[in-house]
């Protein structure tokens, strides 16, 4: 969830607008988000220009600045709008299956050009590094709020001890995938995902 | 370990040369590696130019090309030469303490400007992306060979079941640190490192 209530209100407004396909405001938001995501996939975050997004979406640049403020806010809004299309984490009643579904979702992110662009540009020192950090700071809390539910539900079912830290477990489960893909350049096989899920669950049960 | 024996021979040669501080060849290697690492820390991998390294080291550019071939090989050689200064993983006889020492070593890497530069530029699409992938493909096997020993020794002591996969456990232990630092932008507290080490060990004992 964004830190500032204003951001959230803006996002909820944008979401609501997106869901009214008839409205002009909604069509504009949809076109701008589509253009933003297409640009992210093609040129990445650092090279993304609001001017190009405006041209691509067929809207006035001033419209984008007025409605979303700046580049980090625009990208975060586009990301969040796409995320609401993503279903909440699976609730199969089985911790291993839920966690495996989450890890497959993480893997899908790497296969998506625009998500991969955001992930991969996190570290380097570019002029836009601070902006990207702002984007991630808006995106991650929302993703965490969803994915930690997997562990919260497992505690409620008595599948995990009450003392576990769901936020920590999300990091423990997702981390190996990022490391393997970004640092080692190796593929995220289903076997690796299963191995990771099993280790995290077995470890959490002992804590 | 590098894939090609020729690379390894070259590296061993370079290492040996570095250790004869009296020789001219050794002094050249030292100056070139120092310059490479200083440049990495200042401008990062993508912007690093052999020409600038040569100027900084006070050697002829042709000397660098003749001895190290290209930029990925030079950076990998500089990295490897620095790595031999790093002590092998702690052998305290206690798996938790050994693993914690390794994770603190990983954390130190993030605090080192030139290692942080290599880590952070892994993802983005730059002209030099393939080159950096070559560097990492040379660096990681050597680091893995060292760090997996922690788990191999634990199996030998009977601290872990014989069926564990040391390579997998290195990824499971290091991954959460990379994710937390690069994606979440949060600090790597000692508490987080201990929590990670404990989870991986508890999980590995159940496998």
């Amino acid at each position: 969830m964004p830190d500032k209530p204003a951001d959230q209100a803006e996002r909820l407004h944008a979401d609501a607008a997106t869901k009214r396909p008839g409205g002009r405001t909604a069509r504009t938001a949809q076109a701008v988000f589509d253009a933003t995501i297409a640009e992210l996939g093609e040129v990445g975050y650092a090279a993304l220009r609001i001017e190009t997004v405006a041209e691509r979406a067929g809207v006035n640049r001033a419209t984008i600045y007025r409605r979303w403020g700046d580049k980090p806010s625009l990208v975060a809004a586009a990301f969040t709008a796409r995320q609401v299309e993503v279903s909440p984490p699976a609730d199969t009643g089985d911790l291993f299956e839920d966690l495996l579904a989450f890890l497959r979702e993480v893997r899908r992110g790497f296969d998506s050009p625009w998500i991969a662009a955001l992930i991969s540009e996190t570290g380097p020192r570019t002029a836009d590094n601070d902006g990207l950090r702002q984007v991630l700071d808006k995106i991650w809390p929302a993703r965490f709020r969803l994915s930690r539910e997997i562990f919260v539900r497992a505690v409620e079912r008595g599948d995990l001890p009450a003392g576990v830290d769901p936020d920590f477990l999300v990091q423990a489960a997702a981390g190996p995938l990022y490391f393997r893909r970004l640092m080692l350049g190796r593929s995220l096989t289903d076997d690796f995902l299963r191995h990771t899920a099993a280790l995290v669950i077995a470890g959490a049960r002992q804590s």
Side-chain angles (χ1 to χ4, degrees), chain A residues 16 27 32 41 44 48 81 96 107 111 130 146 158 168 177 179 191:
Chain A
R27 282 197 307 272
V32 169
L48 184 139
F96 180 82
R107 177 172 62 187
D111 294 331
D130 289 347
L146 286 174
F168 169 74
L177 277 62
F179 179 75
D191 192 54

Side-chain angles (χ1 to χ4, degrees), chain A residues 4 7 10 32-33 36 45 48-51 53 61-78 128 130-132 134-135 138:
Chain A
K4 293 173 292 178
D7 281 345
E10 178 179 275
V32 169
F33 290 163
T36 302
Y45 180 81
L48 184 139
R49 297 281 163 266
I50 287 192
E51 199 163 340
V53 170
R61 199 171 38 162
T63 306
I64 295 184
Y65 281 112
R66 194 172 54 239
R67 188 148 166 197
W68 289 282
D70 59 10
K71 180 167 134 179
S73 301
L74 170 65
V75 171
D128 277 317
D130 289 347
L132 183 52
Q134 285 174 48
V135 172
K138 288 179 188 215

Side-chain angles (χ1 to χ4, degrees), chain A residues 74-88:
Chain A
L74 170 65
V75 171
F79 187 94
T80 305
R82 279 292 163 108
Q83 281 297 100
V84 296
E85 295 165 17
V86 172
S87 41

Side-chain angles (χ1 to χ4, degrees), chain A residues 14-35:
Chain A
D15 289 353
T18 310
K19 281 169 192 151
R20 273 189 290 109
R24 196 171 65 87
T25 311
R27 282 197 307 272
T28 301
Q30 193 59 55
V32 169
F33 290 163
D34 286 350

